[in-house]
Amino acid sequence: MKLTIARVDLARRRVFLRADLNTPLDHGAVSDDTRLRAVVPTIQYALNAGAAVVLASHLGRPKGKPAPEFSLRPIAERLESLLGQQLELAPDCVGPETLAKAKSLAPGQLLLLENLRFHKEEEANDDGFARSLAELADCYVDDAFAAAHRAHASIAAITKHLQPAAAGLLMEQELTALGRILESPEKPLVAILGGAKVSDKITLVEHLLEKVDALLIGGGMAFTFLRSLGHDVGRSLVESDQLDTARRTLDAARRRGVNLVLPVDAVVADGLDSRQGRTVGIREIPSGQMGLDIGPHTVERFTAALGGARTIVWNGPMGVFEQPAFAAGTLALARAVAGASAFTVIGGGDTVAAVTQAGVAQKIGYISTAGGAFLEFLEGRKLPGVEALTDAT
Ligand code: 3PG
Ligand code: MG
């Protein structure tokens, strides 16, 4: 158990709150504020508890030097309106000016630091830089679950200089929801994996095989599995260096009695730019074409496999769902997951976009704000951002 914010006395203290405010921007404006909304309860909780909050995040990958297009200015503006409270953006995340601003904060006031990744020391987990960040406050709260897989200075090294280090409300929520998948999930547990590559997901597949009752595989990665079984998949995406791994995984599933379900039909077309596809049986993919979505029979089989589930976890689209011609499978699966009488957890940007597009986000049990960290957590890996937190006694 890690220390949580509720157990820290915040009155008249300055809190360094590490959040993941890394949101997509479109022409310099926030285009999706999900991650900003997700951290609002923690900010408000700390301010109401009488703390002054020094809020910090990275944005994008500016490669260790200042770059105006990665400024947190648009984030500051959106947060101000979400909080209904004024918020100052510091000129930097360290340095004398920022330190003075942090020190002059009164209880209930909030200062947002400029992008942590404007300094290469952040990603290097540099100890001196971490100490400079630590000087800005007198306790630490981490709400950045989506960045918890990064051993960066504001996530890991800082906790050597700033104690206690507690989980924020969002961090706690994420760990509880995702923990319900790995630790004594209500059975049957069904996992659905999609996305392009087997190589990205193989560690996850191997770890999940020890936990799940059924594993449904769609998306581009399904074709490597199908190919490993000897199917002719035309020009569909196949990672030839993963064929052995795929075969071994199918064997392991059989030995463990896991019901591993692969597509039985696909929507095929000449290429990613095709306007229209055609549904064929999985053994009938024309040699010049590629599978770009799961077909209706696969949707039926997947839906049936979700029928008795008590816990469902889903990551990765079933096809190229950004294109209307290849979206039907992913959207139908989103509706099936939402309609299941199970505790459902989803994560990853594409998967969240799919349930949103299908209009069923409200019916999902828990939507993680994380992508990479979500996958690493489910792989059973220890996340630096969680390990660094103070143990609760
Ligand atoms: C993310 O969106 O994946 C997190 O904010 C971490 O960002 P990164 O992948 O650039 O480290
Ligand atoms: Mg990432």
Side-chain angles (χ1 to χ4, degrees):
M1 270 296 286
K2 294 297 184 178
L3 184 69
T4 56
I5 189 171
R7 297 184 53 191
V8 181
D9 181 11
L10 297 170
R12 289 175 306 280
R13 292 178 97 178
R14 265 178 300 138
V15 179
F16 187 101
L17 176 56
R18 176 50 158 108
D20 190 329
L21 310 176
N22 184 27
T23 56
L25 299 178
D26 185 18
H27 292 91
V30 172
S31 58
D32 174 357
D33 65 5
T34 312
R35 282 187 178 171
L36 310 190
R37 289 174 185 275
V39 76
V40 162
T42 305
I43 298 173
Q44 278 170 340
Y45 176 89
L47 296 173
N48 291 338
V53 174
V54 178
L55 181 62
S57 177
H58 69 284
L59 175 65
R61 293 177 175 170
K63 303 207 169 76
K65 48 181 186 305
E69 65 274 30
F70 293 112
S71 166
L72 264 74
R73 171 66 57 200
I75 309 287
E77 284 163 11
R78 180 63 65 92
L79 262 183
E80 244 180 15
S81 73
L82 289 174
L83 290 164
Q85 165 170 2
Q86 277 214 327
L87 165 165
E88 190 182 357
L89 176 64
D92 196 353
C93 60
V94 289
E97 206 182 324
T98 299
L99 183 61
K101 283 184 191 295
K103 290 213 154 144
S104 69
L105 288 173
Q109 285 185 332
L110 177 63
L111 177 71
L112 176 64
L113 305 183
E114 188 50 284
N115 199 335
L116 292 159
R117 290 189 185 171
F118 284 175
H119 297 261
K120 62 179 185 328
E121 293 84 355
E122 163 66 359
E123 291 181 65
N125 202 22
D126 180 85
D127 202 58
F129 180 70
R131 196 173 307 133
S132 305
L133 293 174
E135 271 176 46
L136 301 171
D138 36 40
C139 64
Y140 177 82
V141 171
D142 189 1
D143 224 14
F145 177 73
H149 57 321
R150 306 294 186 214
H152 294 173
S154 66
I155 294 168
I158 189 172
T159 62
K160 283 191 234 147
H161 308 287
L162 204 50
Q163 286 284 330
L169 300 173
L170 175 63
M171 175 70 88
E172 200 185 342
Q173 215 177 30
E174 295 268 10
L175 293 174
T176 305
L178 274 57
R180 272 176 79 176
I181 306 292
L182 296 188
E183 298 144 27
S184 56
E186 221 188 308
K187 299 280 239 166
L189 166 63
V190 180
I192 310 161
L193 293 180
K197 289 181 169 176
V198 175
S199 47
D200 286 346
K201 303 276 164 80
I202 194 63
T203 325
L204 179 58
V205 170
E206 283 166 357
H207 190 240
L208 286 178
L209 279 181
E210 298 168 16
K211 313 266 175 193
V212 300
D213 299 287
L215 177 59
L216 321 181
I217 296 182
M221 66 187 277
F223 294 105
T224 300
F225 283 95
L226 290 163
R227 186 77 198 96
S228 81
L229 289 169
H231 289 283
D232 206 342
V233 297
R235 289 178 39 246
S236 305
L237 187 71
V238 169
E239 285 172 276
S240 25
D241 59 340
Q242 297 292 322
L243 289 169
D244 278 344
T245 310
R247 216 171 289 122
R248 271 202 312 276
T249 305
L250 294 172
D251 286 343
R254 208 171 303 120
R255 273 199 313 277
R256 287 186 173 277
V258 172
N259 179 23
L260 195 149
V261 190
L262 290 170
V264 290
D265 58 355
V267 178
V268 298
D270 291 339
L272 293 168
D273 302 331
S274 301
R275 293 279 154 148
Q276 223 184 328
R278 184 166 67 88
T279 303
V280 298
I282 214 67
R283 293 170 193 277
E284 288 129 34
I285 300 177
S287 56
Q289 298 205 309
M290 54 176 72
L292 295 166
D293 190 12
I294 54 173
H297 286 113
T298 306
V299 171
E300 263 171 48
R301 287 192 75 184
F302 282 10
T303 306
L306 297 177
R310 298 297 299 147
T311 311
I312 297 170
V313 59
W314 177 22
N315 170 270
M318 297 292 105
V320 186
F321 83 106
E322 309 84 279
Q323 307 254 35
F326 312 114
T330 301
L331 297 181
L333 187 69
R335 289 189 291 270
V337 170
S341 35
F343 173 59
T344 52
V345 177
I346 69 158
D350 288 338
T351 315
V352 177
V355 299
T356 307
Q357 201 177 314
V360 296
Q362 298 302 326
K363 295 193 184 136
I364 302 296
Y366 189 73
I367 299 182
S368 177
T369 57
F374 175 87
L375 294 177
E376 290 198 21
F377 183 93
L378 292 179
E379 283 170 10
R381 288 164 66 163
K382 292 199 183 306
L383 305 182
V386 178
E387 293 307 299
L389 300 174
T390 308
D391 287 316
T393 43

